[in-house]
Amino acid sequence: MPVMEPDFKALAYAWLDGDKRSADLRATDPERHERLAERLAQALAKRRTQAEPPIDDADSLIVTIPEERFSSQGLDCSALDQLAGYVQEHIEKFPEGT
């Protein structure tokens, strides 16, 4: 399954709209809001390429959850149970005390 790149611009908009200090910026100064979102998206993309450590699949648990399994409440119950099962299986791979 191909790895999807994050939508840093959408994340930046959500971040700005959710921040109390800038929540009304979109309505009061849309140009500034757009510039901030663009700069934030660029910074996030740059940070990802500079700071992403190599993934060692043997020591990592990477789980891909389809977007439709999310809601405003979080994961649906069956997805949450399935995720808990994956995590438990991964934990059991390691001997106690490590």
Side-chain angles (χ1 to χ4, degrees):
M1 175 176 268
V3 175
M4 291 181 54
E5 284 298 312
D7 184 350
F8 291 122
K9 188 92 175 226
L11 179 59
Y13 282 126
W15 191 334
L16 288 172
D17 293 344
D19 182 66
K20 291 178 184 177
R21 298 167 293 179
S22 61
D24 64 339
L25 190 59
R26 187 187 294 249
T28 59
D29 192 349
E31 288 181 22
R32 183 166 182 235
H33 184 268
E34 179 66 28
R35 285 193 313 270
L36 284 172
E38 185 64 38
R39 289 183 63 201
L40 183 55
Q42 289 173 357
L44 289 168
K46 183 177 178 181
R47 174 77 174 152
R48 179 184 172 114
T49 60
Q50 290 179 348
E52 189 170 314
I55 296 175
D56 181 4
D57 289 339
D59 294 333
S60 300
L61 174 63
I62 300 171
V63 179
T64 303
I65 301 172
E67 191 171 316
E68 62 269 7
R69 303 298 295 270
F70 288 92
S71 72
S72 61
Q73 309 302 312
L75 289 175
D76 66 43
C77 290
S78 64
L80 191 56
D81 291 342
Q82 194 174 14
L83 178 59
Y86 289 145
V87 171
Q88 186 60 42
E89 286 176 23
H90 191 71
I91 289 170
E92 291 170 359
K93 290 181 184 179
F94 296 95
E96 287 192 39
T98 59

